[in-house]
Amino acid sequence: MISSPSAASPRSSDAALSDLFDQSALSGLAQRLVEAAKRAGADAADAVAVRGVSQGVEVRDGRVEESERSEGDDVGLRVLVGQRQAVVSTNDVSGDGVARLAERAVAMARVAPEDKYAGLADPALLARDFPDLDLLDPKVPSTSELERRACEAEAAGLAVKGVTKSGGASASTGIGGMVLVTSTGFHGSYLRSSQSIAMTAISGDGTRMERDYDYTAAPHASDLESPESVGRKAGERTVARANPRKVETCKVPVVFDPRVAGSIVGHLVGAVNGASVARKTSFLKDRLGEKLFASNIRIIDDPLRVRGLRSQSFDAEGVKVKKLAIIDEGVLTSWLLDSATARELGLVTTGHAQRGVSSSPSPGSYNLHLEPGEATPAELMSDIKQGFYVTDLIGSGVNGVTGDYSRGASGFWIENGQTTYPVSEVTIAGHLLEIFKSLVPANDLQFRYGVNAPTLRIEGLTLGGR
């Protein structure tokens, strides 16, 4: 049997936290489900048990508007009878429920259509080492602590000159984790905590009202930005957007603020998802091994980043994960694959399987980032006579089949290398292949989100204005 060390050994003496961090009951349940499926006639099976606990507080004008808490464990069982597959899930397995769930899953599989690519992961690829990624904060904040964080963020935003009202502030905490057991002998588990603070500020009134926001998120409270910083940034961003202008339609260099620059990485990753490639619905389906970016561009997916928002040491099939350069020296090196899409494409899984309790695995990413360049953001913009600096994107007008790109945007007009007046109600349009080719990164990469990128400059996008 391959097993992970307890990802949840409690470092707190509090009994409630000990129970919350203890996944032994979930592990036993998943093991019983797999064994019951085999007894019921499954050729192979795996079981996932997912724990989710969350608590959030929202405040407005210094008063709590909403306080919510949710807690639950869910389990899912996937069985295979030959090349026929079925998935069932429940949040209540009591009495003889394990046997009945397994029997139902096997009965469903026997009448399901054959899928020649279905199956568990190759046992040779399963994870055997489980590094400590420090994903669990042992101190769970109380409701009063969440209220304090939200109130301090709101107060800091309202203190910014020009902010007229609060759009609300929030603070949340959560613990999520998964246990995976397979009939091929894998038994692994992990838990991660999550904490966040957010604030939305409003300036002006009526039709001249503007709003903006800031937030911070991390597994550990010590890695969060302070509530005061979150509120202040939200307020300053909002005030800077006051009295926006419209611009004429033109073709100019466009600079993406780090807050929105990760969206470009996201569009690439959507196109290299093995499921899209196998369905031939990706505009990159024939471009593996081609140079899509400049030679200094690397885009990394790193599931093993310590304290990463999306880190884990094995995927949803138990496959060992590793750091992957999706783009290396500008070249597209790999698709993101789970076992089924890998078989369909004649390749080997890259360890990117993800799943919920009610679905079979499908490919997905972990902690993504685009590596920084050498120029500062100011240097990146210094030679732009006229251009557009994007701080916010609206809508999702990106066609993954053709690569056509068109999104609503707001930000600031650039003149002679400097940002000047705010601009709103424009669209930016182009083609992702051309965007990739001209992309130039600055040196200001920070790891704040699940997808991170520095300030990016892209040439020749069409700005649709009045």
Side-chain angles (χ1 to χ4, degrees), residues 316-358:
E317 296 179 301
V319 172
K320 181 179 180 179
V321 298
K322 61 183 178 181
K323 188 174 181 179
L324 173 67
I326 302 169
I327 300 293
D328 195 8
E329 296 182 349
V331 175
L332 175 59
T333 66
S334 177
W335 310 126
L336 302 185
L337 302 170
D338 66 345
S339 294
T341 55
R343 293 184 190 109
E344 188 169 357
L345 295 169
L347 299 169
V348 177
T349 177
T350 56
H352 282 86
Q354 298 184 358
R355 66 177 289 193
V357 295
S358 59

Side-chain angles (χ1 to χ4, degrees), residues 101-425:
L101 189 69
E103 290 165 0
R104 185 177 61 158
V106 171
M108 291 169 59
R110 284 177 172 148
V111 298
E114 285 197 359
D115 180 353
K116 61 182 178 180
Y117 305 116
L120 303 188
D122 182 346
L125 301 176
L126 297 176
R128 290 170 171 79
D129 301 312
F130 302 89
D132 181 6
L133 302 177
D134 196 13
L135 302 179
L136 191 62
D137 190 331
K139 185 176 180 181
V140 178
S142 64
T143 302
S144 61
E145 170 62 14
L146 295 177
E147 291 176 8
R148 181 192 68 80
R149 293 176 186 178
C151 287
E152 288 184 3
E154 183 181 54
L158 289 170
V160 175
K161 185 178 180 180
V163 172
T164 54
K165 63 180 71 174
S166 167
S170 63
S172 67
T173 184
I175 293 175
M178 183 180 80
V179 173
L180 173 65
V181 176
T182 75
S183 59
T184 51
F186 179 86
H187 192 149
S189 64
Y190 64 84
L191 274 178
R192 69 161 66 93
S193 50
S194 61
Q195 302 192 46
S196 68
I197 305 168
M199 194 268 169
T200 299
I202 299 171
S203 67
D205 53 33
T207 60
R208 301 180 67 83
M209 186 180 296
E210 295 291 334
R211 69 176 59 216
D212 212 320
Y213 68 93
D214 191 42
Y215 77 95
T216 179
H220 286 253
S222 59
D223 292 332
L224 292 171
E225 295 187 27
S226 69
E228 295 86 350
S229 173
V230 170
R232 184 179 65 253
K233 288 179 182 176
E236 291 170 350
R237 285 173 171 165
T238 299
V239 171
R241 293 177 60 150
N243 303 311
R245 306 183 197 176
K246 293 181 172 59
V247 295
E248 300 291 340
T249 296
C250 55
K251 199 169 187 177
V252 293
V254 174
V255 178
F256 284 70
D257 182 87
R259 186 169 67 166
V260 293
S263 65
I264 301 298
V265 177
H267 298 319
L268 168 77
V269 170
V272 302
N273 186 295
S276 297
V277 175
R279 291 193 302 263
K280 302 188 184 303
T281 57
S282 167
F283 72 99
L284 296 179
K285 67 182 186 299
D286 300 317
R287 296 185 178 271
L288 188 64
E290 289 190 16
K291 188 171 184 178
L292 304 180
F293 295 78
S295 297
N296 65 327
I297 301 299
R298 298 183 82 234
I299 296 177
I300 308 297
D301 191 23
D302 185 5
L304 299 174
R305 182 185 303 148
V306 173
R307 294 194 177 191
L309 281 170
R310 303 177 181 174
S311 297
Q312 57 195 67
S313 58
F314 59 90
D315 78 352
E317 296 179 301
V319 172
K320 181 179 180 179
V321 298
K322 61 183 178 181
K323 188 174 181 179
L324 173 67
I326 302 169
I327 300 293
D328 195 8
E329 296 182 349
V331 175
L332 175 59
T333 66
S334 177
W335 310 126
L336 302 185
L337 302 170
D338 66 345
S339 294
T341 55
R343 293 184 190 109
E344 188 169 357
L345 295 169
L347 299 169
V348 177
T349 177
T350 56
H352 282 86
Q354 298 184 358
R355 66 177 289 193
V357 295
S358 59
S359 62
S360 57
S362 60
S365 59
Y366 301 106
N367 300 301
L368 291 158
H369 74 272
L370 189 156
E371 290 194 345
E374 297 181 358
T376 66
E379 291 168 342
L380 204 67
M381 293 191 297
S382 62
D383 65 337
I384 296 178
K385 299 300 182 185
Q386 289 191 318
F388 182 51
Y389 186 90
V390 183
T391 59
D392 202 14
L393 291 167
I394 306 163
S396 54
V398 179
N399 189 320
V401 179
T402 65
D404 292 324
Y405 178 94
S406 178
R407 298 194 67 180
S410 59
F412 298 86
W413 191 245
I414 301 172
E415 286 186 357
N416 298 318
Q418 301 290 325
T419 55
T420 55
Y421 53 84
V423 172
S424 66
E425 297 182 11

Side-chain angles (χ1 to χ4, degrees), residues 4-86:
S4 69
S6 173
S9 53
R11 286 172 282 178
S12 168
S13 59
D14 186 276
L17 291 185
S18 297
D19 291 342
L20 184 61
F21 293 165
D22 183 5
Q23 292 176 290
S24 57
L26 288 180
S27 295
L29 174 58
Q31 185 70 48
R32 293 196 304 275
L33 280 169
V34 170
E35 292 169 353
K38 294 287 285 183
R39 287 194 300 269
D43 296 316
D46 62 13
V48 293
V50 176
R51 168 158 293 168
V53 179
S54 65
Q55 184 170 359
V57 171
E58 294 185 13
V59 304
R60 191 186 301 267
D61 299 328
R63 296 188 300 273
V64 175
E65 279 200 330
E66 191 171 359
S67 181
E68 291 186 337
R69 178 180 174 85
S70 64
E71 183 171 341
D73 295 334
D74 298 287
V75 294
L77 175 66
R78 178 172 62 138
V79 302
L80 292 111
V81 178
Q83 294 301 123
R84 303 174 190 272
Q85 176 177 264

